[in-house]
Amino acid sequence: MNVLDVKNLKKTYRSQFLRRKIKALDGIDFSVNEGEIFGLLGPNGAGKTTIFKSILGLIKIDEGEIKIFGDKIDMVKRERIGFLPENPYFYRHLTGYEILDFYSSLFKKRRNKEEIKKLLEKIGLEDSMERRIGTYSKGMLQRIGFAQAIINEPDFIILDEPMTGLDPIWRKEMKEWIIELKREGKTIIFSTHILPDVEEICDTVGIIYKGKILKTGKLSDILQYKKVSFDVMISGIDKKKLEKFGDVFTYDRFEIVKIDDDERLQELLKFVLKNKGKIISVEQRKKKLEDYFIEVLNEKD
Amino acid sequence: MRKIKAIAFNTFKEGSRDRTLLSVSIAGIIILISSIVFIPISVGQGIRVVLNFGLSVIEILLLFQIIFVGTRIIYDELEKKTIYTIFSKPVKPLEVFAGKFLGLGLIIFIIETILFIFFFLFIRLIFGFFFFRIFHWYIFLLFELLLIESVVLFLSTFMSPITSGIISFLIYFIANTSHYIKEFSLKVHNLFFKIFANIVYYLFPNFSFTNIKNNIVYIIPFERELYLFLLSYPILYIILMLYLSSILFERKEFL
């Protein structure tokens, strides 16, 4: 079952100065399945935040259809949704505890004192819960933002750039929290432009660029695409003779040949053995999401 | 109702911890004390001068407070994008406006109470008697201020803080003078002016019935039925303003 269905989503803004039309979203189509982590990848200004605002009804769409839990968003569905905005800002004179208590009171099921304290403990802010938000660092704000997004124990969680402002330790924690939510059966969609984060935790990815979804698919399938390349280290054969197999680099007294597919690798190995060369090593290189992402963007441009 | 209460207390906490409550109260008390300088030069009218001055100071101070905080209360939510975390939750615009209105209203109520109690004791100290009549004005002023607060919130949904602040002042001025315009229109034979006077009189808030300050200062009796009026007109006007604000907000895009 799909938790989110987005069809032909279009949104145009007017620029502030000359009131020119700017296409923010240009026919976006994608779905998020129940219980998966969906990563929305794209450079800054690609339209990721606009998609989230459209989903939540914070902006009105020009065209298209958005269905959450099978229907349009309403107050009942909002009870089941959690949202962390990009660079969240909170009421600076309230304490960490008061903020969570406030957001909790906006839902039917209000969390009690103990539950809020437990949540603050989880995000490592139990010692700062009586401190005013105005004194919090960016990373602490991000963590409080995450806590308010899950305060209602939502089924569907939208996280806009959740790793922003976090140091490596809390980045790792954030990833673990997201995976933990998935284990609890929640569905998560998050945006980022930091690709290794996506590789670590996503099931499905969508690549968005200039208001269009260029590719969507299972992360495992995407990484299968041209899944490997090989670096073959060879000695005893002239560099020029190896160039017909791929790019060749000299390292120390060895030649390294970069091979893109299995067939060519077999040909190279046979050639080396036949010409009495020596195979020092064959290293398999997995294609990274980053390579794929850049490839897709380059194709588009 | 729980959501409105939560937003109201949130607004109250934010506003009161911003030292607004304390600083406005202290400023008010200092200005009220300074009214003592008028007594030697008021040729036997000391009590009236002090009353007039004191009650006007409280009114203006609270009006400034409402306009200063009220024009920013929604604007800041939009500017700092805290509104995203509110409207992504099951909260209706009317609940937000009602909550904000009550939260700021509570701040105004507390400051007004502090200032009136101080002023009451101050009069006792200087003139030697308890002047209970000022508490009639305390109640009427509170309703006037709450009404203006709802207008300020309404304007702030589609105007910048400066513009809505200036217009709110003008509306407060009109609210206190529209009955003069209406009376004048009855004496002139100009249809357009009559229409204009009627629009101003009925469309804008109208304080001609609630402004009993002079009755208090000059000990002129006023009809106690005005209390009934106080419980109907301002409340209906406030509900209308909050409702219109929420309709405007529903159409708004949070870019």
Side-chain angles (χ1 to χ4, degrees):
Chain A
M1 185 202 154
N2 289 343
V3 168
L4 175 70
D5 278 306
V6 177
K7 275 181 198 155
N8 193 31
L9 183 61
K10 287 184 182 173
K11 176 69 191 172
T12 309
Y13 290 126
R14 292 263 178 193
S15 70
Q16 285 213 324
F17 217 40
L18 296 166
R19 309 298 293 161
R20 269 201 209 127
K21 277 189 174 181
I22 301 164
K23 266 188 190 173
L25 302 175
D26 189 12
I28 298 278
D29 287 287
F30 71 97
S31 297
V32 181
N33 293 319
E34 191 176 3
E36 76 173 0
I37 302 177
F38 188 102
L40 199 54
L41 304 181
N44 293 333
K48 303 184 292 284
T49 302
T50 308
I51 290 180
F52 292 157
K53 285 182 191 169
S54 308
I55 294 169
L56 291 160
L58 295 172
I59 54 172
K60 287 175 181 57
I61 58 174
D62 299 338
E63 250 183 271
E65 190 181 46
I66 301 169
K67 283 185 176 176
I68 300 180
F69 306 116
D71 216 336
K72 280 184 182 171
I73 191 161
D74 58 17
M75 286 296 156
V76 180
K77 290 194 178 67
R78 283 183 203 276
E79 291 279 346
R80 298 174 63 192
I81 299 173
F83 174 53
L84 165 67
E86 188 182 8
N87 299 321
Y89 188 92
F90 300 104
Y91 306 98
R92 54 194 304 270
H93 293 293
L94 298 192
T95 66
Y97 175 85
E98 285 170 336
I99 280 283
L100 293 188
D101 187 41
F102 166 64
Y103 284 114
S104 174
S105 62
L106 301 178
F107 291 96
K108 269 184 192 161
K109 191 189 163 209
R110 187 176 182 174
R111 294 242 196 165
N112 62 35
K113 209 171 179 178
E114 282 313 305
E115 287 173 318
I116 293 173
K117 278 185 182 173
K118 222 171 155 185
L119 190 55
L120 281 159
E121 227 168 84
K122 180 191 170 108
I123 57 165
L125 292 178
E126 70 273 27
D127 295 333
S128 316
M129 62 188 263
E130 298 301 337
R131 254 171 67 190
R132 289 191 189 182
I133 290 283
T135 65
Y136 279 22
S137 69
K138 207 177 169 193
M140 289 163 94
L141 281 178
Q142 194 74 1
R143 282 185 273 154
I144 272 285
F146 178 77
Q148 66 78 33
I150 59 165
I151 193 89
N152 53 326
E153 295 177 330
D155 296 315
F156 180 40
I157 301 141
I158 300 170
L159 307 170
D160 196 357
E161 304 280 356
M163 320 290 179
T164 309
L166 295 176
D167 62 33
I169 296 164
W170 287 109
R171 272 174 98 90
K172 192 170 171 281
E173 284 288 331
M174 178 69 85
K175 284 180 223 167
E176 276 170 19
W177 295 334
I178 294 173
I179 292 167
E180 198 182 309
L181 287 171
K182 188 199 164 184
R183 264 192 235 117
E184 289 167 11
K186 319 282 188 194
T187 308
I188 300 119
I189 179 169
F190 78 93
S191 68
T192 186
H193 52 264
I194 304 162
L195 301 171
D197 293 341
V198 178
E199 260 180 301
E200 279 177 54
I201 58 174
C202 282
D203 300 302
T204 309
V205 292
I207 296 177
I208 178 171
Y209 184 58
K210 291 184 179 172
K212 284 185 177 174
I213 293 264
L214 302 182
K215 299 269 179 193
T216 48
K218 291 274 167 205
L219 185 66
S220 49
D221 293 341
I222 284 173
L223 295 176
Q224 284 291 318
Y225 170 83
K226 287 182 179 178
K227 70 173 183 189
V228 286
S229 66
F230 300 92
D231 288 354
V232 186
M233 196 182 264
I234 296 163
S235 70
I237 295 192
D238 188 53
K239 186 180 177 182
K240 277 194 177 157
K241 286 183 183 172
L242 294 170
E243 275 171 356
K244 60 180 174 182
F245 295 98
D247 295 334
V248 184
F249 305 93
T250 306
Y251 176 74
D252 201 0
R253 50 206 168 81
F254 307 110
E255 308 300 337
I256 297 170
V257 187
K258 285 198 166 291
I259 303 284
D260 274 340
D261 60 79
D262 278 355
E263 218 173 289
R264 267 192 118 47
L265 176 69
Q266 298 304 327
E267 281 173 24
L268 174 69
L269 296 180
K270 277 180 200 163
F271 177 82
V272 175
L273 295 173
K274 197 176 165 187
N275 291 281
K276 305 221 165 111
K278 202 172 176 183
I279 297 159
I280 308 295
S281 66
V282 179
E283 198 181 325
Q284 192 186 47
R285 281 192 179 276
K286 255 197 173 174
K287 197 146 186 100
K288 282 186 178 167
L289 182 61
E290 198 171 339
D291 303 320
Y292 180 77
F293 181 72
I294 290 164
E295 239 170 67
V296 170
L297 295 194
N298 285 342
E299 265 173 36
K300 177 69 191 165
D301 281 336
Chain B
M1 200 60 202
R2 187 157 60 93
K3 292 171 194 173
I4 294 174
K5 200 174 120 192
I7 295 168
F9 277 112
N10 190 31
T11 308
F12 173 73
K13 275 185 205 166
E14 268 286 290
S16 54
R17 288 181 192 171
D18 203 14
R19 293 187 190 149
T20 315
L21 216 154
L22 189 71
S23 46
V24 175
S25 302
I26 291 172
I29 287 169
I30 293 169
I31 300 171
L32 290 177
I33 292 171
S34 71
S35 65
I36 212 160
V37 300
F38 296 119
I39 299 171
I41 53 167
S42 54
V43 278
Q45 297 291 309
I47 176 72
R48 280 183 188 158
V49 172
V50 169
L51 273 173
N52 233 330
F53 178 78
L55 296 178
S56 301
V57 162
I58 294 173
E59 182 180 352
I60 291 166
L61 210 61
L62 290 170
L63 181 66
F64 266 104
Q65 170 74 3
I66 283 178
I67 290 175
F68 185 72
V69 180
T71 51
R72 295 208 67 92
I73 213 162
I74 295 293
Y75 181 83
D76 280 354
E77 291 267 356
L78 292 168
E79 193 72 358
K80 290 168 184 168
K81 294 173 181 172
T82 40
I83 208 81
Y84 294 165
T85 53
I86 303 275
F87 281 124
S88 58
K89 296 181 170 50
V91 181
K92 292 173 190 153
L94 188 58
E95 290 171 326
V96 171
F97 276 95
K100 294 276 173 201
F101 170 80
L102 291 174
L104 178 56
L106 189 59
I107 294 174
I108 296 301
F109 169 73
I110 290 175
I111 300 175
E112 192 194 358
T113 306
I114 292 170
L115 293 179
F116 264 87
I117 289 174
F118 174 81
F119 194 47
F120 177 71
L121 297 174
F122 178 74
I123 291 170
R124 166 73 183 81
L125 189 76
I126 303 297
F127 298 103
F129 59 90
F130 290 112
F131 196 76
F132 286 102
R133 283 176 68 89
I134 62 166
F135 288 108
H136 287 299
W137 178 230
Y138 163 77
I139 295 167
F140 276 73
L141 178 63
L142 179 65
F143 276 85
E144 275 191 15
L145 292 170
L146 290 178
L147 196 155
I148 279 296
E149 184 201 337
S150 70
V151 173
V152 172
L153 285 181
F154 169 69
L155 294 175
S156 72
T157 57
F158 57 93
M159 285 180 185
S160 71
I162 293 175
T163 321
S164 57
I166 293 167
I167 293 177
S168 300
F169 266 116
L170 287 174
I171 289 175
Y172 192 77
F173 177 74
I174 291 169
N176 279 295
T177 53
S178 63
H179 60 288
Y180 295 125
I181 302 170
K182 170 95 171 148
E183 277 169 24
F184 184 64
S185 76
L186 297 173
K187 290 172 190 161
V188 293
H189 300 288
N190 184 322
L191 184 65
F192 289 110
F193 187 71
K194 276 186 202 298
I195 294 168
F196 168 76
N198 275 307
I199 290 172
V200 169
Y201 190 76
Y202 292 109
L203 189 69
F204 288 100
N206 191 328
F207 294 157
S208 54
F209 300 106
T210 53
N211 200 333
I212 56 159
K213 197 167 73 189
N214 282 343
N215 299 58
I216 302 300
V217 174
Y218 296 101
I219 318 182
I220 303 165
F222 65 93
E223 293 163 25
R224 296 298 147 104
E225 285 74 27
L226 280 182
Y227 272 105
L228 287 177
F229 179 78
L230 198 64
L231 288 172
S232 53
Y233 175 74
I235 291 174
L236 286 174
Y237 208 102
I238 288 166
I239 291 170
L240 177 73
M241 282 295 110
L242 295 180
Y243 183 66
L244 288 177
S245 306
S246 71
I247 288 176
L248 282 178
F249 225 58
E250 262 167 30
R251 290 158 185 255
K252 212 175 179 76
E253 292 208 286
F254 304 110
L255 301 176

